[in-house]
Each structure stands twice: as structure tokens, then as C-alpha cells.
Amino acid sequence: QKEVEQNSGPLSVPEGAIASLNCTYSDRGSQSFFWYRQYSGKSPELIMFIYSNGDKEDGRFTAQLNKASQYVSLLIRDSQPSDSATYLCAFSNQAGTALIFGKGTTLSVSS
Amino acid sequence: DAGVIQSPRHEVTEMGQEVTLRCKPISGHDYLFWYRQTMMRGLELLIYFNNNVPIDDSGMPEDRFSAKMPNASFSTLKIQPSEPRDSAVYFCASSGTGGSGANVLTFGAGSRLTVL
């Protein structure tokens, strides 16, 4: 059974701090990894994806991938109250055609 | 592009009734996915299509669930008969084949189903 494990939270950080979200996955054959953000009552929206070991940066967001440890993380620098949402980690199936999602981590950024 | 369009946005029905959820994917996308989201189980993949052909329906919970994609611009997810435990938000998503093997999904707004 392919699984994605995330700490459900809530993770609480003050405004301006770095938020660190973590995710582990079970399928060693996975090639691509995704972070989606979901505001309450809304649909998931893509933040970024990563498929190579190491770091990938996009604005205030940095995704980190370690395939040997089957671990992916998302760092949010200078956290803002508008970042308060549930963050979903996902990995692709071996065909690279479908995504398997974790249950998400709820982030709360206080002003 | 209007994005992925789902209907209805909200559906309240009684146990035993048939429910049909509809989805129009983004034009040009050749993959279409149906997901179900609940607090307990998170976002679960039910079934997905490639070029209108079902590829993997192993996530469909029971024979009460069925999905079709008669053409590239329309898909349905049907539950017959519905049960209270089917209450969830059902998302449709579509994607094209991304670069480097990364398939980026775009989600619709979801259909919130309540079965009484």
C-alpha cells in the first residue's frame, strides 16, 4: 500500500518565522513530489514540485527532497497570516501519471 | 481558461438515492482524476482516465460507484445507491503530461455531497 505520512498538526508559528513541514513516503519508485496548499473550504492548489534530490526554491518556498531517506519537506520563509492553510504532500505513481496525497498538515501563522 | 468545472457544488440527498457528479476538464488536458476528501481519510484517488479511457479504478470503494468519460470534455461519477458514509467532498482534477515526468494536477472547486 503506497502511503504518504504527514504530521497533521496544527503547526503554529509567529508571523515572520520559518515554517517547516515534513513528509515521508513509502514508494521508492516515486519520481516526482508535490506540495499543494488548501485553504478551508477550497480546492488544493499547487505550490511547487520537485523530482531531484536537493533543494528547489520558489520565492519564499523551498522544497527539499531526499530520496534515500524517502523524505520531502517544505520550508516557508517569512511566514504570513495568509499562509495559514492545510499543506498536502503528494507523490506520483511509478508511471508518473497520478498523485497519492497525504492527509495534510495544518499551518497557523499568528500576527 | 475557466479551469476545471464541477457540478453540482453542493448536493444533499437521502440514503438510497442516485447521485451524479459532473466534471469538465481543462481543454487540452488528457488526464482526468476523481478524488474524494474526508477528514478521516484525507484526499483519496478513486479513478483516473487517460484520453477518455479508465486507467486505474482500484480506488473506487464499491460497485455502487461508477465513472465514465464519454468524451474529452466531460466525465461523470455516479453513486447508486448512496449511503451516509459516502458524504464527502468529491474533487475532479485534470492534467496534461508535464515536463520531466511531473504531472501537475489542477483541481476543480469540488462537489460537497451530504447523504442523509
Side-chain angles (χ1 to χ4, degrees), chain A residues 1-4 26-27 30 91-95 100-101, chain B residues 56:
Chain A
Q1 183 72 20
K2 299 170 185 172
E3 293 184 351
V4 183
S26 61
D27 188 356
S30 297
F91 67 91
S92 65
N93 61 2
Q94 292 198 15
I100 309 302
F101 284 84
Chain B
D56 185 353

Side-chain angles (χ1 to χ4, degrees), chain A residues 36 38 43 51 97 99 103, chain B residues 33 35 37 40 48 105 108:
Chain A
Y36 278 77
Q38 186 175 25
S43 58
Y51 50 86
T97 51
L99 297 188
K103 292 183 179 179
Chain B
F33 306 82
Y35 285 87
Q37 188 173 42
M40 287 291 293
Y48 73 97
L105 271 62

Side-chain angles (χ1 to χ4, degrees), chain B residues 30-84:
Chain B
D30 51 358
Y31 284 89
L32 182 139
F33 306 82
W34 283 101
Y35 285 87
R36 176 175 68 176
Q37 188 173 42
T38 61
M39 289 292 291
M40 287 291 293
R41 301 176 68 89
L43 195 60
E44 301 175 278
L45 176 63
L46 300 178
I47 184 172
Y48 73 97
F49 297 81
N50 177 220
N51 292 323
N52 313 337
V53 176
I55 302 301
D56 185 353
D57 65 354
S58 60
M60 297 285 261
E62 300 171 32
D63 291 345
R64 298 184 295 108
F65 286 70
S66 62
K68 295 181 180 180
M69 192 166 186
N71 58 62
S73 60
F74 184 68
S75 177
T76 60
L77 177 68
K78 185 174 293 187
I79 309 172
Q80 167 64 18
S82 59
E83 296 183 3

